[in-house]
Amino acid sequence: MKRKLIVHNGNISIGGQEKMLIEFLKLLDPQKYEVLLLIEENNGKRNDYIDEIPKWVEYKFLTTERFMSWIEKNKKSKNPLRKVLYSFLLKIKKKISAKEFEKYLNFSDIIIDYDMGLMRNLHKINLRNKKLIGWSHAGDGSLHKNKNKRKNVERYDYIVTINEVMKNGYEKNTIHPQILKIYNFMDFDLILEKSKEAVEENLGEYIISVGSLTENKNQALLIKSFSRLKKEKNILEKLVIIGEGKEREKLQMLIKNLNLENEVFLLGQKLNPYKYIANSKLFVLTSKNEGFSLTCIEAMILRKMVIVTETNGTREILGNKSNYGKLISGDETDLLNLLFFYLKNENERKKYKEEGYKRAKQFDKGNAKLAIEEFIDRI
């Protein structure tokens, strides 16, 4: 008899955690499991991964496309009253989705809250003695500032973490949940296959960064360092940034002020970033915080040297001593010097390409499948 699972997630728009949701679903065996995927937001055309949900997985949206469109319009408005309405609608969205979520609880006794998006409202949901699993993709397991979240984290029976610091944090700060670590994982064959597609744009030789355009991803640091690199070292390479987000306007203004319109390209979201990574010379990530950098691993799979800011997630991937790629402090000059050195020293770059690829193999989906199925089956 198949085991039934409810899987909850906020959305299926382009993002690292959403990409992992799809990989998680693909990893499950349809001969062993029956899955109901409950998605909080119906974002219409921005449901980027909807066609990648396995055909055997049933899915339902907990809010309507019309309601989410209303939220989006108020979010983009510069009218202060619209901003207040936007905040109000977000609270309404949580109430609606929580109420809709309860309608499906009879489907299974096991709930996997894949983005821990239920945490704020768990005290309002009658879980009826279900086993609740939280899958934590961000943070370090610290106590939440929000009172409800701080209490509701104790309602989880298990919390799955994706790095050691996060695991230790939850073990220190929670009492009820059992804490375990399961690394994020990659579909090597798919990434390699997609990387072979042609890049339509004529970009020449370039450095690449992939990530949402947010304050945390800190692309401004990379752009400023790159600007100095052009002026002080006269490099010929361009800078390509793939991703979308609320910092786009600020980054575009920065690029304009530094006279880099013909040197830095914000290409937006791409369903296939792998072909761009495959054709780059270096991969760079300047995040302030990373729980586990999928794009870093993807670049390593494609045999690209990676230069990334040191965070809990990147340190665990690359090793404390930059074993498999270069960890940097987040200093503009430090980044400038490393970029210049490795752009000009191909042999040194090649060493990290090969060591990084060996490390990336440890995150192949085959290693994760057994751990995930064993965990689910013993609940």
Side-chain angles (χ1 to χ4, degrees), residues 74-89:
N74 284 282
K75 177 182 178 181
K76 292 180 178 179
S77 175
K78 295 181 180 180
N79 186 324
L81 293 177
R82 291 270 189 170
K83 292 292 184 184
V84 173
L85 179 58
Y86 168 68
S87 298
F88 174 73
L89 289 174

Side-chain angles (χ1 to χ4, degrees), residues 49-216:
Y49 291 130
I50 194 166
D51 292 332
E52 296 194 37
I53 297 172
K55 300 301 181 185
W56 62 273
V57 173
E58 182 182 5
Y59 65 87
K60 304 283 185 182
F61 288 104
L62 301 179
T63 53
T64 66
E65 182 179 349
R66 182 179 179 182
F67 182 76
M68 289 308 304
S69 177
W70 192 22
I71 289 179
E72 189 65 19
K73 286 179 181 178
N74 284 282
K75 177 182 178 181
K76 292 180 178 179
S77 175
K78 295 181 180 180
N79 186 324
L81 293 177
R82 291 270 189 170
K83 292 292 184 184
V84 173
L85 179 58
Y86 168 68
S87 298
F88 174 73
L89 289 174
L90 287 181
K91 294 179 181 179
I92 296 297
K93 183 194 75 170
K94 287 293 181 184
K95 290 182 179 180
I96 291 173
S97 57
K99 187 176 181 180
E100 286 295 308
F101 179 80
E102 283 191 285
K103 294 179 180 179
Y104 298 101
L105 286 177
N106 289 333
F107 181 83
S108 173
D109 291 329
I110 300 175
I111 301 167
I112 299 176
D113 186 12
Y114 197 73
D115 63 351
M116 296 187 76
L118 293 173
M119 192 188 303
R120 184 183 293 273
N121 287 310
L122 278 176
H123 59 291
K124 299 177 182 179
I125 301 173
N126 182 5
L127 292 177
R128 306 168 196 166
N129 298 316
K130 309 290 185 181
K131 290 293 183 182
L132 181 61
I133 303 161
W135 217 285
S136 182
H137 294 267
D140 58 6
S142 298
L143 288 171
H144 290 276
K145 294 180 181 179
N146 181 279
K147 183 179 179 181
N148 287 334
K149 285 186 175 183
R150 198 160 57 245
K151 290 182 177 180
N152 286 342
V153 72
E154 295 294 336
R155 296 174 183 265
Y156 290 94
D157 297 289
Y158 301 87
I159 295 177
V160 178
T161 64
I162 58 174
N163 66 48
E164 194 65 26
V165 170
M166 194 184 294
K167 179 175 182 289
N168 293 337
Y170 277 113
E171 287 176 340
K172 177 182 177 181
N173 294 307
T174 61
I175 298 171
H176 175 69
Q178 296 184 45
I179 315 299
L180 65 154
K181 180 179 73 173
I182 299 178
Y183 282 134
N184 283 340
F185 51 91
M186 304 288 156
D187 187 334
F188 266 56
D189 293 338
L190 179 64
I191 290 171
L192 291 170
E193 180 184 348
K194 287 190 173 183
S195 72
K196 296 175 184 177
E197 294 181 12
V199 172
E200 295 81 9
E201 299 90 343
N202 183 16
L203 300 169
E205 293 192 327
Y206 58 90
I207 299 163
I208 193 166
S209 185
V210 181
S212 55
L213 306 184
T214 62
E215 186 179 350
N216 177 58

Side-chain angles (χ1 to χ4, degrees), residues 242-271:
I242 292 177
E244 197 53 81
K246 60 184 180 181
E247 292 290 299
R248 171 176 275 275
E249 288 187 15
K250 290 183 181 179
L251 295 176
Q252 285 176 326
M253 185 60 67
L254 177 62
I255 291 168
K256 183 178 180 180
N257 291 339
L258 294 172
N259 297 313
L260 293 172
E261 289 98 329
N262 297 320
E263 306 294 334
V264 179
F265 305 105
L266 303 180
L267 298 188
Q269 291 178 333
K270 299 290 182 181
L271 276 173

Side-chain angles (χ1 to χ4, degrees), residues 280-313:
S280 68
K281 291 185 74 172
L282 271 175
F283 177 88
V284 187
L285 188 70
T286 49
S287 299
K288 296 177 182 178
N289 187 39
E290 288 283 343
F292 185 98
S293 175
L294 292 175
T295 55
C296 181
I297 296 290
E298 289 164 351
M300 292 158 69
I301 290 171
L302 296 172
R303 283 187 162 89
K304 298 298 167 183
M305 182 192 171
V306 299
I307 298 176
V308 300
T309 43
E310 185 171 0
T311 65
N312 293 334

Side-chain angles (χ1 to χ4, degrees), residues 15-58:
Q17 184 261 305
E18 290 74 25
K19 185 186 296 183
M20 280 310 308
L21 168 68
I22 298 299
E23 293 303 320
F24 172 80
L25 295 172
K26 289 179 178 178
L27 200 70
L28 297 176
D29 186 348
Q31 302 302 316
K32 292 180 64 176
Y33 306 108
E34 187 176 345
V35 175
L36 174 61
L37 172 63
L38 299 178
I39 306 163
E40 187 170 304
E41 299 177 358
N42 184 351
N43 291 314
K45 293 181 179 179
R46 292 186 295 114
N47 293 327
D48 302 286
Y49 291 130
I50 194 166
D51 292 332
E52 296 194 37
I53 297 172
K55 300 301 181 185
W56 62 273
V57 173
E58 182 182 5

